[in-house]
DNA sequence: CTATTTAATGACTTACGGTCAGCTATTACG
DNA sequence: CGTAATAGCTGACCGTAAGTCATTAAATAG
């Protein structure tokens, strides 16, 4: 009796179709401007049906965002699945996040909403839980890698891996957010190339975290 | 004939009263949740009147935010109006921004909205112009001070003052944003004290920008 | 073939940002 | 003064969009 199983598959399929439609509309219009009617039309369903699958517009938005998290996680896994030294992999993580920013800008923007609970008015506990675990998976990957860098003697043992991850992330993320919304402004007003700034600051932070012995390896690679 | 002048004053006064009411409501509820009806009631005016003074809810929100910018600017001016060495003043700027974050949290949160044009749906050109010039005044203050630090030989001449300002700001701001919304989360999940992280990372960045001769001065002060 | 459960619909409710015709108070002027 | 002109204010009203729910249609069970 495979009927319940088939129904479950169909339900899952419909959820995906709704996400596809929502993704298109949200990417084009953003959370505020997109309407549930538009998404329903794009999904070739009625608005009421959307609410059978997602509790609110914000939940639907986060549903799409989780896709973006998964993509980033996969890119991180791939970037660290080489046989290079750990310290090089860590550097690659930074480059990968920047590549993600360039190639998946719309997903990158969605993270903002997730990260700022003050913007949430209708997010369900369940959806928030899903997002949190996706988020944790990524942090864990980064922190574990930094820990390995410490264990292998390339990163100073005085560095706390979680703190280090937060610093690197805050810095790069902060600058990428400005690149996203005000790159031109900074260029015109201050004559600053934000991409260069980010690379500089990341290099700076990176440098201070390395042990003396590791410094040569990285220099010779990059 | 002082009637036009008096009327102008009264108009200005009314604008301020509206801002007072809006500030109370926005601080309590945030941009999304606050309603114009609530603000009108708090101001003891009708909703229509609000629109005679501000073009949209978002303009009104930014009107309040500009007050927060002025406060920050004043705090920066005060922090740098001492007779201490420039390099110490620069350090004080960082401390001052953190104090602002702690003491004027609601204003700090408003900056986010200003900085992200993707969130704007009804912001007028005029209001945006006002915000931009307030913003520029602050950047100028910081950048000029860093330039002075370079001129006086405390900051490496290889450092670009605007780039330096952006790096310091991005880093501190990025971490403070996390402190605002997820301090508990980071504490529980990763056992990390974000305040410590910020101080560490700022110290780190700061350190790499100093000339060798300046390093001793700062160490002996802090 | 009928009863029951499940899925989908779209008209409806509610809420809120923004508008505007009209009202009121103030000022200008003969 | 008294009246006309102007400026300031009002709140009922409009349009839009999120979210609901009684009803209908389809699939499954017996």
């Amino acid at each position: 009796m495979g009927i319940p199983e088939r129904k479950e598959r169909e339900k899952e399929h419909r959820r995906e179709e709704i996400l596809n439609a929502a993704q298109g509309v949200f990417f084009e219009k953003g959370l505020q401007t997109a309407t549930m009617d538009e998404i329903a039309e794009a999904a070739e369903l009625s608005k009421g049906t959307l609410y059978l699958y997602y509790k609110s517009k914000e939940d639907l938005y986060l549903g799409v965002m989780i896709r973006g998290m998964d993509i980033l996680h996969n890119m991180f896994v791939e970037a660290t699945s080489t046989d290079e030294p750990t310290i090089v992999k860590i550097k690659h993580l930074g480059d990968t996040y920047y590549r993600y920013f360039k190639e998946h800008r719309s997903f990158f923007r969605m993270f903002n909403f997730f990260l700022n609970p003050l913007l949430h008015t209708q997010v369900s506990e369940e959806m928030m839980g899903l997002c949190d675990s996706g988020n944790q998976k990524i942090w864990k990957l980064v922190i574990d890698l930094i820990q390995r860098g410490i264990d292998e003697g390339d990163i100073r043992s005085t560095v706390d891996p979680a703190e280090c991850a937060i610093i690197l992330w805050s810095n790069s993320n902060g600058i990428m957010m400005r690149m996203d919304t005000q790159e031109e402004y900074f260029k015109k007003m201050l004559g600053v190339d934000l991409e260069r700034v980010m690379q500089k600051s990341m290099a700076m932070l990176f440098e201070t975290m390395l042990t003396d012995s590791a410094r040569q390896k990285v220099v010779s690679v990059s």
Side-chain angles (χ1 to χ4, degrees), chain A:
Chain A
M1 184 65 89
I3 288 177
E5 288 79 359
R6 196 203 74 224
K7 286 223 164 183
E8 193 48 49
R9 274 201 313 277
E10 283 174 353
K11 219 164 176 175
E12 197 47 50
H13 184 239
R14 176 114 316 164
R15 277 179 73 90
E16 286 300 314
E17 283 181 331
I18 290 173
L19 274 193
N20 289 340
Q23 181 168 324
V25 177
F26 283 136
F27 277 13
E28 194 189 337
K29 305 220 172 181
L31 173 61
Q32 331 269 336
T33 318
T35 71
M36 290 299 271
D37 284 302
E38 281 176 297
I39 295 170
E41 178 157 359
E44 294 174 305
L45 289 168
S46 73
K47 183 162 63 160
T49 305
L50 300 186
Y51 285 94
L52 296 175
Y53 290 86
Y54 292 91
K55 288 206 176 110
S56 68
K57 185 182 171 185
E58 290 181 7
D59 265 28
L60 188 45
Y61 190 77
L62 288 177
V64 176
M65 188 214 63
I66 287 176
R67 285 185 166 182
M69 270 190 173
D70 289 341
I71 292 173
L72 179 60
H73 185 260
N74 289 339
M75 284 170 70
F76 274 4
V77 168
E78 199 179 338
T80 55
S81 297
T82 62
D83 55 1
E84 291 162 313
T86 303
I87 190 67
V88 174
K89 287 184 186 173
I90 294 174
K91 176 87 175 53
H92 282 346
L93 275 193
D95 300 338
T96 302
Y97 191 36
Y98 184 60
R99 189 159 60 81
Y100 181 81
F101 167 71
K102 297 298 269 187
E103 294 174 4
H104 302 280
R105 186 71 64 100
S106 298
F107 282 125
F108 175 87
R109 287 174 180 164
M110 294 182 125
F111 292 170
N112 259 330
F113 175 76
F114 162 60
L115 288 172
N116 194 342
L118 297 168
L119 301 175
H120 304 178
T121 66
Q122 300 295 337
V123 174
S124 71
E125 299 256 325
E126 297 95 301
M127 186 52 83
M128 202 54 198
L130 286 176
C131 295
D132 281 342
S133 53
N135 193 30
Q136 264 179 58
K137 222 169 57 174
I138 294 175
W139 279 105
K140 182 169 164 26
L141 184 149
V142 177
I143 292 170
D144 285 353
L145 196 66
I146 294 173
Q147 181 62 57
R148 236 181 103 183
I150 295 169
D151 294 343
E152 292 176 7
D154 285 341
I155 293 179
R156 295 177 189 275
S157 58
T158 53
V159 169
D160 177 87
E163 286 185 11
C164 175
I166 292 169
I167 291 173
L168 292 173
W169 179 84
S170 295
N171 193 69
S172 54
N173 201 64
I175 297 179
M176 283 190 252
M177 273 173 60
R178 286 312 122 229
M179 289 177 75
D180 184 37
T181 58
Q182 305 183 303
E183 188 153 31
E184 282 311 303
Y185 182 87
F186 276 96
K187 187 85 202 165
K188 275 184 193 142
M189 285 302 135
L190 304 173
V192 164
D193 175 7
L194 285 180
E195 179 172 344
R196 236 174 55 94
V197 173
M198 191 181 67
Q199 278 158 359
K200 266 196 190 180
S201 66
M202 286 299 279
M204 219 186 263
L205 288 170
F206 210 59
E207 172 100 5
T208 63
M209 290 167 179
L210 296 185
T211 57
D212 297 328
S213 67
R215 214 153 282 162
Q216 293 160 320
K217 292 193 213 174
V218 175
V219 170
S220 66
V221 167
S222 63

